Amino acid sequence: MREMMDFVKELSFVRVGGSAEEKKAAELIMGEISSIAEETGREDIRGEYMTFQVPDAKVAKCSVRTAEREIVCVPYLRSGNIDRECDLVYLYEGSEIDFAVAGNLEGKAVLLNRPADEELYKRLLEHKVSAFLVMQGKYYLSGEEASLYPRILREHLTKHGLVPGFMIPSSEALRLVQDETDKVYLTLEQEDTEPESQNILAVIEGTECKEESIVLTAHYDSVPVGTGSWDNATGAAALLAIFRHFAANPSRRTMRFIWCGSEELGLLGSRAYVEQKSELLEKTVFCFNFDMCGTALGANKICVTGEKELQTFVEQYCKMIGYSAIIGVGVHSSDSAPFCDKDIPALGLSRETNTAELHTIHDLISALSEKAMVKNVEFAVRIIGDVANAAVMPVKKSMPEDTRKELNKYFHREEEKDKK
């Protein structure tokens, strides 16, 4: 059995959801599943693909220009098209006050400090803004150093309408403001596409309570910059190690392993699973999710999503076995969330540090440690085994009201709920 970090190294390449590189990563994981099944003599275990479509766009042209120069930029995918000169207004945070003070914005482009949430985006549409520019990174970083990459404008925004969007380095935004630039020429030409992504599934049948399932998830895709070693080659590798253990040591309850595709595009793999495999959810009693682990520096973290009894269980469990972890409560912005949305309690297991960065060019394998990976996996195997082998499940399948409200907000349903 090779070390986990060997597989993390193998998986450390850009693998954006729906791309050929993501498919290559899926094939690597599928190969490991087959090898593990052979090693453990489990002819009944095999991997399978579950495909689904993801939103994307093919960009033909993207530029931001002033009279003096070309500005480094990337587009917001699926945000529409534009090819014209616009007056430029710095709109700061895009607050209600900022809009009121700015006056008439029809046909103008606005520069924003931050990406648009739903409230801000609707204001852009209401004020008939022609385009928006968002700054990224510190003012002293170049475009590459600021980790600029195209982002998809999510459906909960575009359902209200389209406003062409661009992202530029904060260094360029600073220069625009200091030079009092009042006009920009914007070009964005793109066409929506829907490439195919895939989850990789494998099932280890339970020895007794076969009808009850524990689901275990980790995404294997990455953003378009860095190598995605921490986020989330580590989680994918950890899940393979856990799979290897339980293939040789099956639990009382059935275990359903899911290496999720396109998590970085909006949890699309786990959401597709919940939709396509809805008949399995009634008997799915728990979810364990692995998103970033194995950093040499940092602290172990556990995100609890469920009733108060789950938090108490985890706190006491860590004390009993001596596992140091920061325990948080709420919705984990990862692949456990769609399961929690179906009242399935979940633990998100990770290891985080302020000394490394995700979603940037700095997400590299150099911040990681095989020793830390082993400790994370050993704890995971222990708690998963105890839950999966429990005489009675230690927590009930439900969500408290405050978590349900948080889930509604997370999945952008609060507005619809208020209208009912």
Side-chain angles (χ1 to χ4, degrees), residues 12 82 243 270 387:
S12 289
I82 189 171
F243 176 74
S270 50
V387 170

PDB file of all heavy atoms in Angstrom, residues 12 82 243 270 387:
ATOM      1  N   SER A  12      -2.334  16.208  -8.118  1.00  0.00           N
ATOM      2  CA  SER A  12      -2.061  17.645  -8.001  1.00  0.00           C
ATOM      3  C   SER A  12      -1.861  18.291  -9.373  1.00  0.00           C
ATOM      4  O   SER A  12      -0.735  18.545  -9.809  1.00  0.00           O
ATOM      5  CB  SER A  12      -0.848  17.887  -7.102  1.00  0.00           C
ATOM      6  OG  SER A  12      -1.159  17.597  -5.765  1.00  0.00           O
ATOM      7  N   ILE A  82     -20.964  41.990 -24.047  1.00  0.00           N
ATOM      8  CA  ILE A  82     -20.918  43.446 -24.174  1.00  0.00           C
ATOM      9  C   ILE A  82     -19.771  43.812 -25.096  1.00  0.00           C
ATOM     10  O   ILE A  82     -18.756  43.103 -25.165  1.00  0.00           O
ATOM     11  CB  ILE A  82     -20.743  44.129 -22.791  1.00  0.00           C
ATOM     12  CG1 ILE A  82     -20.918  45.637 -22.904  1.00  0.00           C
ATOM     13  CG2 ILE A  82     -19.409  43.768 -22.159  1.00  0.00           C
ATOM     14  CD1 ILE A  82     -20.967  46.355 -21.549  1.00  0.00           C
ATOM     15  N   PHE A 243     -11.723   4.033   2.412  1.00  0.00           N
ATOM     16  CA  PHE A 243     -12.346   2.983   1.599  1.00  0.00           C
ATOM     17  C   PHE A 243     -11.552   1.681   1.712  1.00  0.00           C
ATOM     18  O   PHE A 243     -12.135   0.594   1.855  1.00  0.00           O
ATOM     19  CB  PHE A 243     -12.412   3.460   0.150  1.00  0.00           C
ATOM     20  CG  PHE A 243     -12.951   2.438  -0.811  1.00  0.00           C
ATOM     21  CD1 PHE A 243     -14.309   2.137  -0.848  1.00  0.00           C
ATOM     22  CD2 PHE A 243     -12.098   1.789  -1.696  1.00  0.00           C
ATOM     23  CE1 PHE A 243     -14.805   1.204  -1.737  1.00  0.00           C
ATOM     24  CE2 PHE A 243     -12.583   0.856  -2.593  1.00  0.00           C
ATOM     25  CZ  PHE A 243     -13.942   0.555  -2.611  1.00  0.00           C
ATOM     26  N   SER A 270     -22.478  16.595  -5.560  1.00  0.00           N
ATOM     27  CA  SER A 270     -23.300  16.093  -4.445  1.00  0.00           C
ATOM     28  C   SER A 270     -24.769  16.442  -4.661  1.00  0.00           C
ATOM     29  O   SER A 270     -25.664  15.655  -4.311  1.00  0.00           O
ATOM     30  CB  SER A 270     -22.796  16.661  -3.107  1.00  0.00           C
ATOM     31  OG  SER A 270     -22.629  18.064  -3.165  1.00  0.00           O
ATOM     32  N   VAL A 387     -19.650   4.768  14.497  1.00  0.00           N
ATOM     33  CA  VAL A 387     -21.000   5.156  14.084  1.00  0.00           C
ATOM     34  C   VAL A 387     -21.628   4.062  13.221  1.00  0.00           C
ATOM     35  O   VAL A 387     -22.783   3.668  13.416  1.00  0.00           O
ATOM     36  CB  VAL A 387     -20.974   6.499  13.332  1.00  0.00           C
ATOM     37  CG1 VAL A 387     -22.329   6.789  12.686  1.00  0.00           C
ATOM     38  CG2 VAL A 387     -20.594   7.637  14.279  1.00  0.00           C
TER      39      VAL A 387
END
